[in-house]
Amino acid sequence: MDLAQDVQLEMFRAMLLSRRLDERAWVLHRQGKIAFHISGIGHEAAQVGAVFAIRRGYDWVSPYYRDLAILLAVGMTPAEFVMGMMGKRGDPTSGGRQMPSHWSLKRANVISHSAPVATQSPHATGIGLAIKLRGDDRVVLTTVGEGATSQGEWYEAVNFAAVLQVPVVFVVQNNMYAISETPDMQMAIKSVAEKACGLGVPGISVDGTDVFAVYRACQEAVDRARQGGGPSLIEARTYRMTPHSSDDDDRTYRSREEVEEHKKSDPVLVAKRQLEERAILTEKAYAEMDAQIKAEVEEAVRQAEQAPYPEAEEALHPVYAEEIRLAEASHA
Amino acid sequence: MARITMREAISQALWEEMERDPKVFIQGEEVGVWGGSYAVTRGFYDHFGGERVRDTPISESAIIGSAIGAALTGLRPVAELMTINFAFVAMDHIVNQAAKLHYMFGGQMVLPIVIRAVSGGGRQLAATHSQTPDVIFAHFPGLKVVAPGTPYDAKGLLKSAIRSDDPVLYIEHATLYQMRGEVPDGEYLEPLGKSKIQRPGKDVTIVTYSKGLDLSMKAATELAKDGIEAEIVDLRSLQPLDMEPVYESFKKTNRAVIVEEGWRTFGIGAEISARIYEEAFDYIDAPIVRIGQKQVPLPYNRNLEQMALPQVEDVIKGVKEIV
C-alpha cells in the first residue's frame, strides 16, 4: 500500500464518522425528530475511496443521495448534515428547502440533484465541458447507484462526456438493490462496467467494500481525467445494509439471512482488519477513535437541535436571482 | 434603424453577446457546422469556433443537463432545442432543475442559462412537432419564460436573457422567423418581465404574445375599418407576468379579448381573465373572450391544421362579440 499511514487512518476515520452519523440519523428518525433519512451504510468504502482520489474542495462533486461520507470528506460538518435532516436554517444545502441528502455545498463545489435518478450525470458532463472551456485542471466526480444506469439520462451523459473527452469520473455504487429490485432486473449483464465498452470509455469493476481498492481505481481515473485523457466509468460493488430509505421495510423483499451474510464484508470492518494487519490501528486506538467520533456525533445533534428553524416567510424566496442579491445585501 | 427579419434579430443578439462576453457559448443539435435548423446560428461556427458553437449528440437531456452544469460553474450557456416539442424528453432538467436550483440551493448559486426553443404550429408538422405548449413552462416558479412577437423585442429580450442570472426559456415562433420589423442599429436591451402596448386603442383590449400578436395586429387593422380601435397589450414574458398595462388598458376599454396560439383549456387566457376578474371587477362591461387552439392534437393536412389553429378572423369575430 503506497498510501501514507496517516492518510490510511484518515480514510478509516472518515468511514467510521459517516457510519456513526448515519446510525444516529436512523435513531433520530425513529424518535420522530426528522422526517426522512436515506442511508449510506455499506457504501463508506466506495465513497471514501472515491473522494480521497480527488482534490477535495478544489475538484467538483455531483453526488447522489447516499453520499454522506463524500460530503463529510469534502467538508460538510456533522452538525450541518443533521441540520439538513431537521430542515434548519443552517442547512448548507438550502436552508431547509431541499430534501435531505440531496446535497449541495458551494464552498466545496458540490451541486444538488433532482428526484429522478441520474439527473446529476449530465450536470457532471456540463461541468466537465466548462472545465475544458476554461482550461483549468479540475475534474468532476459524479456518483449514481446501479439502478440509475438504466436511465437514458445516464447514457446520454456518459456518451456526451466521451464525445467531448471531458474530465469526469463516473462512479457507480452497485449496492445490489434499487429499492427492492436486484441488478438482474435492471440489466442483462453481470457488471455495470461492461456498459463502458459501448460508450467508448474505460470501465472497471472493483470491490466496493475495499476502500483502498476503490481508491486505487479512482486515482487512476482521476489522473487520466486531469491529464486530458477523458472520462472513466468505475463500478464499486457493495451491499446496501439498510432499507432504501426510512420509507420502506426491506424485510418485505429480502431475507434477514442474506443481510447477515453481507454484514461479514461490512466495509468498515474490512478496513479495520486491513489497518490492523498493517499494524496501523490497534483495538485500543480504534476504541478511542470510535468514542471520540460518537461524542462528535452527539455534539452535532445537540448543535443542530438548538439551531433555529427558518421563519415561515422564508418559504417565499429565493426564486429569482434578484432575490438572492437582495438577501446577500441584507446579510452584509 | 434597419428593417430586418426576426431570424436576423435573434442572430444579431446572439452574435453581439458572444462577442461581448467570452463566457457565453451555444450548444445544441445542428447549431454548429450546419448553422441551426432554422439557420439562426449560420456563420457562427466559422467565426467563434466549435468550442463555443457546439454540435451535440441528439440528446436533449444531455444538452440541457450539461448546460446547467456549465452554468453552475459561472459560464453562460445558450442551449438550443430544435423544437420545444423535444423539451418533453428533457423536462426534468427544465422544470425540476433549472427552475428550482436557486431555491433548492438556498440561493448559494445562480443559474445563468438560456434555453432557446422553437414553438408553434402552422408549418404542417403535425401533432408532436407543432405544439405551442408555452404556458406549461410558465406554471413552474423559477423559470423566466420569454416569447417575443416582433424583431425589435426578439433582439432586445434575448440580449437581456443572456445577461440575466436567471434561467430563461426563450421561445421563438416557427412562423415568425421571416417577419420583418424596425431594429435600431446600435445596442439596446429590453427588460424581461415587462408587457408592452404594441398598438394604442380605446374600444377593446387585446392581450396576447408571440404569434398571437401577429394575428391581433392584423385583426386590429381590419377592425379599424369598422371604426373599432383595439389596444394591444403584448405580454412578451409569461413569467414573470406583468399585468399592470393590462389593467390600465382594461380600465379604459372595459372589454378584453385574449389571444393565444396554444389550447384554450387551462391556457393563458384563463389566467389573464381570472386576474382581470380579481383586480378590475368593477370595470367589466362584457364577458372576457378567449381565442385559442381547438382542443385537438394539431393535424398535418393544411386545411385541418388551419381549422384547428386560431385565425385573424377568429380574433375579429371575438372582438365583435363584445364591442
Side-chain angles (χ1 to χ4, degrees), chain A:
Chain A
M1 192 73 222
D2 50 355
L3 272 171
Q5 292 194 357
D6 60 336
V7 177
Q8 293 186 47
L9 267 179
E10 195 191 345
M11 290 169 79
F12 179 70
R13 193 183 194 286
M15 293 172 68
L16 194 57
L17 174 61
S18 183
R19 171 64 58 88
R20 295 295 180 234
L21 196 53
D22 206 318
E23 289 168 345
R24 191 70 176 85
W26 285 100
V27 175
L28 287 170
H29 185 262
R30 285 190 205 101
Q31 291 172 328
K33 290 182 176 174
I34 61 172
F36 178 80
H37 178 52
I38 191 155
S39 180
I41 290 182
H43 289 247
E44 293 88 349
Q47 294 172 11
V48 171
V51 76
F52 269 69
I54 64 167
R55 287 170 65 183
R56 287 173 282 149
Y58 178 77
D59 291 330
W60 287 82
V61 181
S62 183
Y64 87 131
Y65 43 69
R66 296 201 193 281
D67 285 341
L68 174 58
I70 288 183
L71 266 290
L72 293 170
V74 298
M76 178 176 277
T77 68
E80 286 176 329
F81 166 65
V82 182
M83 283 194 283
M85 289 191 299
M86 291 179 169
K88 295 292 178 100
R89 182 189 282 144
D91 155 38
T93 290
S94 64
R97 295 171 179 85
Q98 175 64 298
M99 197 173 179
S101 302
H102 289 54
W103 333 90
S104 58
L105 191 65
K106 186 185 182 184
R107 63 176 191 260
N109 290 337
V110 180
I111 62 163
S112 184
H113 62 287
S114 170
V117 294
T119 55
Q120 68 272 32
S121 308
H123 296 173
T125 299
I127 295 169
L129 169 60
I131 289 169
K132 204 173 175 186
L133 285 171
R134 288 164 180 279
D136 72 42
D137 69 341
R138 286 173 167 83
V139 303
V140 190
L141 169 66
T142 187
T143 60
V144 288
E146 82 288 354
T149 68
S150 302
Q151 286 277 26
E153 301 265 348
W154 184 80
Y155 285 96
E156 293 183 42
V158 182
N159 178 62
F160 194 22
V163 170
L164 297 166
Q165 285 294 291
V166 290
V168 184
V169 179
F170 293 93
V171 173
V172 179
Q173 299 176 36
N174 183 351
N175 65 14
M176 307 298 156
Y177 282 93
I179 305 188
S180 74
E181 293 190 8
T182 47
D184 60 312
M185 299 181 197
Q186 297 285 346
M187 61 195 91
I189 49 178
K190 293 295 176 201
S191 159
V192 172
E194 291 176 41
K195 298 189 180 194
C197 70
L199 291 160
V201 298
I204 185 171
S205 184
V206 293
D207 178 357
T209 66
D210 179 347
V211 65
F212 303 110
V214 176
Y215 173 80
R216 277 191 297 272
C218 290
Q219 188 66 64
E220 196 178 307
V222 167
D223 286 348
R224 183 164 49 235
R226 211 182 298 284
Q227 287 157 18
S232 305
L233 170 61
I234 293 165
E235 176 193 50
R237 298 181 316 278
T238 185
Y239 187 78
R240 197 190 77 209
M241 297 205 283
T242 66
H244 165 66
S245 78
S246 54
D247 287 348
D248 65 300
D249 180 355
D250 65 334
R251 288 172 300 187
T252 59
Y253 52 76
R254 64 181 178 183
S255 71
R256 290 307 88 189
E257 292 73 26
E258 179 192 307
V259 177
E260 287 307 314
E261 182 60 29
H262 280 280
K263 281 186 179 172
K264 292 175 188 164
S265 51
D266 176 336
V268 175
L269 294 183
V270 170
K272 181 167 173 277
R273 274 201 300 269
Q274 286 170 321
L275 295 189
E276 285 168 352
E277 281 163 18
R278 293 170 197 164
I280 295 172
L281 186 70
T282 61
E283 191 58 47
K284 180 166 172 291
Y286 168 76
E288 281 171 13
M289 182 191 285
D290 197 26
Q292 191 192 40
I293 284 173
K294 282 176 175 162
E296 194 181 333
V297 168
E298 286 317 304
E299 173 59 16
V301 172
R302 192 190 63 78
Q303 279 179 26
E305 284 188 317
Q306 287 177 353
Y309 286 104
E311 296 294 330
E313 293 70 29
E314 291 176 42
L316 301 179
H317 64 80
V319 176
Y320 290 122
E322 181 63 23
E323 296 163 302
I324 294 171
R325 278 190 290 271
L326 291 174
E328 280 168 358
S330 72
H331 290 154

Side-chain angles (χ1 to χ4, degrees), chain B residues 4-319:
Chain B
I4 63 172
T5 63
M6 190 86 123
R7 183 197 322 279
E8 289 163 336
I10 295 167
S11 184
Q12 280 182 10
L14 287 169
W15 188 281
E16 288 173 16
E17 292 306 299
M18 294 273 286
E19 288 280 14
R20 189 186 63 83
D21 184 353
K23 293 198 292 296
V24 178
F25 72 99
I26 294 171
Q27 67 176 9
E29 293 152 12
E30 315 291 353
V31 299
V33 177
W34 192 39
S37 324
Y38 290 85
V40 169
T41 52
R42 190 163 290 168
F44 280 53
Y45 183 88
D46 290 338
H47 184 75
F48 295 105
E51 290 282 302
R52 290 184 70 200
V53 190
R54 185 176 299 279
D55 283 319
T56 64
I58 305 172
S59 224
E60 282 78 14
S61 287
I63 294 169
I64 306 300
S66 65
I68 289 169
L72 286 171
T73 76
L75 296 184
R76 308 187 84 85
V78 180
E80 179 176 315
L81 289 172
M82 192 183 284
T83 109
I84 203 165
N85 301 275
F86 299 169
F88 301 132
V89 293
M91 206 60 172
D92 187 75
H93 288 284
I94 300 170
V95 305
N96 253 353
Q97 304 280 337
K100 296 185 175 67
L101 282 178
H102 287 166
Y103 194 85
M104 286 292 132
F105 281 20
Q108 291 183 77
M109 302 182 188
V110 293
L111 192 71
I113 176 179
V114 177
I115 302 168
R116 285 181 49 233
V118 182
S119 180
R123 297 179 65 245
Q124 285 194 263
L125 294 167
T128 62
H129 218 302
S130 300
Q131 296 171 91
T132 316
D134 313 351
V135 67
I136 61 176
F137 298 95
H139 191 59
F140 294 90
L143 209 57
K144 288 188 171 171
V145 181
V146 175
T150 67
Y152 177 91
D153 287 337
K155 182 172 178 183
L157 289 169
L158 181 52
K159 285 171 71 82
S160 292
I162 293 169
R163 295 185 197 188
S164 166
D165 282 338
D166 287 308
V168 180
L169 177 66
Y170 180 89
I171 298 172
E172 301 163 20
H173 195 283
T175 67
L176 293 182
Y177 282 117
Q178 299 296 349
M179 168 192 263
R180 285 185 180 274
E182 297 283 332
V183 169
D185 297 325
E187 162 143 324
Y188 68 98
L189 297 169
E190 281 293 296
L192 304 181
K194 289 286 171 201
S195 301
K196 182 178 176 182
I197 306 290
Q198 298 281 17
R199 183 190 194 280
K202 57 179 175 43
D203 300 319
V204 62
T205 300
I206 300 179
V207 185
T208 187
Y209 78 102
S210 184
K211 176 69 174 180
L213 176 64
D214 183 45
L215 300 179
S216 301
M217 293 296 273
K218 286 170 178 159
T221 304
E222 293 305 310
L223 288 163
K225 292 174 187 167
D226 294 331
I228 299 169
E229 292 300 334
E231 179 149 288
I232 299 179
V233 185
D234 178 4
L235 298 171
R236 303 196 297 177
S237 159
L238 303 180
Q239 181 75 269
L241 185 60
D242 174 23
M243 286 296 292
E244 281 314 312
V246 176
Y247 300 142
E248 241 172 76
S249 177
F250 187 78
K251 287 175 182 176
K252 189 170 64 181
T253 65
N254 313 109
R255 289 165 175 78
V257 174
I258 301 145
V259 181
E260 64 190 301
E261 187 182 273
W263 294 293
R264 264 171 39 120
T265 305
F266 298 104
I268 288 154
E271 178 67 28
I272 301 293
S273 52
R275 293 205 191 197
I276 292 173
Y277 283 117
E278 286 166 352
E279 299 295 329
F281 185 74
D282 292 343
Y283 296 87
I284 298 172
D285 279 358
I288 294 169
V289 173
R290 293 183 291 149
I291 308 290
Q293 196 172 131
K294 305 282 191 300
Q295 196 70 13
V296 295
L298 206 61
Y300 169 71
N301 169 282
R302 179 154 183 84
N303 291 336
L304 300 181
E305 184 186 35
Q306 291 303 316
M307 175 65 198
L309 287 170
Q311 305 292 329
V312 174
E313 293 70 35
D314 297 323
V315 181
I316 295 169
K317 188 164 161 281
V319 168

